[in-house]
Amino acid sequence: MTREYKNWLEGYYQYTRHSESPDLFHFWTGVSTIAGALRRQVWIDERFFQLTPNFYIIMVGPAGIVAKSTSSRIGMKLLEKVDGVIFGPKSMTWQGLTLALEEAQTMIPIGNGGDMLNMAAITCSVSELGTFLRPSDRELVDVIVDLWDGQLETWKRKLKGPGDTNIENPWINVIACTTPSWLQDNYPE
């Protein structure tokens, strides 16, 4: 184990030592928090696609016992201090989610050459997964899955009437909490 890693672990332990949450919840909260800070400003170029640090993290545990929401709030309070981070909705329709992404579009510098990239990056922190995701709403589920890719492209939805959607370079990072019983009730085998 390197000295840097040992120092990081000690700092982590000191920061979260008064929390009831399991270490794994703090770890995944840290992953989501760092991803939210990086947004799509960091990526791995795989020639035909980019890997960006967006995650859909769901912490599962019994209600009122393992402090899932408490753990995620620790990270999100830190993330609130990062300039430019935009938080998405905790409850929405697919139309509301895409509207939040459209409103989040911003230009960011990339590289040293003065180039700019338009991105729509949001982090959604959800205490109760059931307020964010309704498995019976197939359109919502399909849009969330489609948007997860985080590729350099414009996500478009054309409607019969007004209200077309155009989101340049969408990027979503989600940390959510739920119980085993909610998963069992909403996701059959």
Side-chain angles (χ1 to χ4, degrees):
M1 188 178 313
T2 67
R3 180 181 310 160
E4 292 83 14
Y5 184 66
K6 285 181 184 178
N7 289 341
W8 179 85
L9 275 178
E10 180 59 30
Y12 161 81
Y13 172 74
Q14 292 299 320
Y15 192 75
T16 61
R17 73 178 183 266
H18 299 296
S19 171
E20 301 168 1
S21 301
D23 287 346
L24 274 177
F25 286 178
H26 292 301
F27 173 82
W28 286 107
T29 296
V31 168
S32 184
T33 303
I34 292 168
L38 295 175
R39 291 159 281 165
R40 76 169 309 123
Q41 296 178 79
V42 174
W43 65 88
I44 298 171
D45 189 357
E46 294 289 338
R47 290 183 30 191
F48 298 111
F49 65 94
Q50 289 184 341
L51 291 175
T52 62
N54 62 316
F55 295 89
Y56 286 4
I57 297 170
I58 301 172
M59 297 190 290
V60 181
I65 295 176
V66 291
K68 303 173 293 291
S69 298
T70 302
S71 177
S72 69
R73 280 189 201 105
I74 290 171
M76 296 304 105
K77 284 191 184 299
L78 290 172
L79 191 56
E80 287 172 358
K81 297 177 182 181
V82 177
D83 287 339
V85 171
I86 299 172
F87 287 91
K90 295 175 182 290
S91 178
M92 78 278 163
T93 61
W94 71 262
Q95 295 95 334
L97 177 61
T98 57
L99 178 61
L101 281 162
E102 279 185 309
E103 292 171 351
Q105 292 187 142
T106 186
M107 297 296 285
I108 59 162
I110 56 170
N112 295 329
D115 292 332
M116 301 293 282
L117 173 71
N118 192 8
M119 73 167 180
I122 61 174
T123 291
C124 297
S125 173
V126 183
S127 304
E128 296 295 334
L129 183 59
T131 66
F132 183 79
L133 178 66
R134 287 167 305 289
S136 61
D137 184 347
R138 292 306 312 160
E139 278 189 295
L140 174 62
V141 172
D142 290 344
V143 167
I144 289 172
V145 170
D146 192 33
L147 288 169
W148 181 78
D149 284 343
Q151 297 307 304
L152 288 173
E153 62 187 13
T154 301
W155 191 92
K156 296 180 181 187
R157 177 92 180 216
K158 183 83 173 148
L159 300 175
K160 183 177 179 181
D164 292 348
T165 304
N166 292 295
I167 306 165
E168 284 197 49
N169 307 316
W171 184 93
I172 302 174
N173 183 47
V174 177
I175 184 164
C177 306
T178 194
T179 62
S181 60
W182 187 89
L183 285 177
Q184 188 175 22
D185 291 346
N186 288 279
Y187 288 94
E189 263 185 65

